[in-house]
Amino acid sequence: MYEKFLKRLIDFLLSFVGIVVLCLPILVIVVAIKLDSKGPVFFKQKRVGIHKTHFNILKFRTMRIDTPHDMPTHMLSNPDMWITRVGKFLRKTSLDELPQLFNIFVGDMSIIGPRPALWNQYDLIAERDKYGANDVKPGLTGWAQINGRDELEIDVKAKLDGEYVEKMSIGFDAKCFFGTITSVLKSDGVVEGGTGEMKRAANQESDSEETKKEETVTK
């Protein structure tokens, strides 16, 4: 009942209200992008929707127009060199995602759900298949986003997406929604080019501890 009817109704109403209420900030961002760099204001990209269908996701453009297309940010050798000045602010505050309110309004996405994978992120798509996470609408934010976001390894992210599928309810969606607000305010988990940063940080800390032990033994 919730997934088939009520969730879509909530998505429709909240996205409509969001578009109306945020029309002025959206306009300000549009002007800032145009003044900052050449190129279109919006960025469209093919993403994976429910049941692995494809749709075009909308974002504010945060990168230069000569950035390699259809490549996840974490696969770029130096992500920062491609991001515009305004883009850095938009990405840190997640304001670049605002145009997805239109994706939600037309029904391509939900407010809460697994973040839509790029059409060529085959490893993430395959991992999500294990947990049924490709069989729900992707979301503007989700359970994985408030539990690590860019810092998570792909298998961990997919497992959290599967956990969301199991627990999906109006209460759990509310938990994800308010958790997202907290994460955005703190900029938690935002690491450019940083898929798996949590694990790498842990490994580096472990290596550092091992080095200290070796130095102690040497002394």
Side-chain angles (χ1 to χ4, degrees):
M1 176 67 178
Y2 173 68
E3 182 183 354
K4 291 182 178 179
F5 176 72
L6 188 55
K7 185 174 173 69
R8 174 57 193 148
L9 179 61
I10 292 172
D11 287 338
F12 179 82
L13 293 175
L14 289 185
S15 60
F16 176 76
V17 171
I19 291 168
V20 172
V21 171
L22 297 172
C23 60
L24 184 57
I26 288 173
L27 182 60
V28 171
I29 293 171
V30 167
V31 173
I33 292 171
K34 292 301 290 184
L35 292 175
D36 183 50
S37 62
K38 294 180 180 179
V41 170
F42 297 105
F43 172 70
K44 289 197 300 184
Q45 193 175 56
K46 187 163 73 171
R47 295 289 182 114
V48 178
I50 187 171
H51 304 312
K52 292 187 280 190
T53 55
H54 291 155
F55 72 100
N56 286 319
I57 198 172
L58 279 177
K59 289 189 174 189
F60 282 123
R61 181 177 59 83
T62 59
M63 306 185 90
R64 290 164 23 191
I65 55 175
D66 57 339
T67 305
H69 195 60
D70 282 343
M71 182 176 288
T73 307
H74 71 272
M75 291 184 67
L76 296 171
S77 57
N78 183 10
D80 283 334
M81 70 172 284
W82 301 103
I83 302 172
T84 65
R85 288 172 299 177
V86 170
K88 287 179 181 178
F89 171 76
L90 294 178
R91 292 166 79 95
K92 186 174 183 179
T93 57
S94 296
L95 289 173
D96 60 315
E97 312 284 1
L98 278 182
Q100 286 160 52
L101 288 171
F102 294 98
N103 287 118
I104 297 168
F105 184 74
V106 300
D108 291 329
M109 292 174 60
S110 180
I111 291 174
I112 309 296
R115 282 296 296 162
L118 275 166
W119 66 273
N120 57 358
Q121 282 185 289
Y122 305 116
D123 48 358
L124 177 58
I125 296 167
E127 281 295 317
R128 283 177 169 172
D129 267 336
K130 297 177 183 178
Y131 306 103
N134 290 315
D135 296 324
V136 297
K137 278 186 183 179
L140 178 65
T141 185
W143 187 231
Q145 277 58 56
I146 63 174
N147 283 283
R149 197 171 171 178
D150 298 332
E151 296 177 337
L152 298 173
E153 291 283 322
I154 283 173
D155 58 337
V156 176
K157 187 179 293 185
K159 191 172 182 179
L160 285 167
D161 290 333
E163 187 178 339
Y164 169 75
V165 175
E166 289 180 3
K167 297 180 178 179
M168 192 182 344
S169 64
I170 190 168
F172 198 63
D173 275 9
K175 183 176 182 177
C176 292
F177 181 82
F178 290 110
T180 297
I181 294 174
T182 302
S183 295
V184 168
L185 291 175
K186 294 180 178 179
S187 295
D188 284 347
V190 181
V191 183
E192 295 301 346
T195 293
E197 278 299 310
M198 189 177 287
K199 184 175 180 179
R200 277 192 283 274
N203 289 339
Q204 288 173 0
E205 186 177 340
S206 177
D207 291 342
S208 177
E209 289 297 323
E210 287 298 323
T211 301
K212 288 179 181 178
K213 288 179 182 178
E214 288 174 5
E215 289 175 350
T216 303
V217 171
T218 303
K219 290 178 181 177

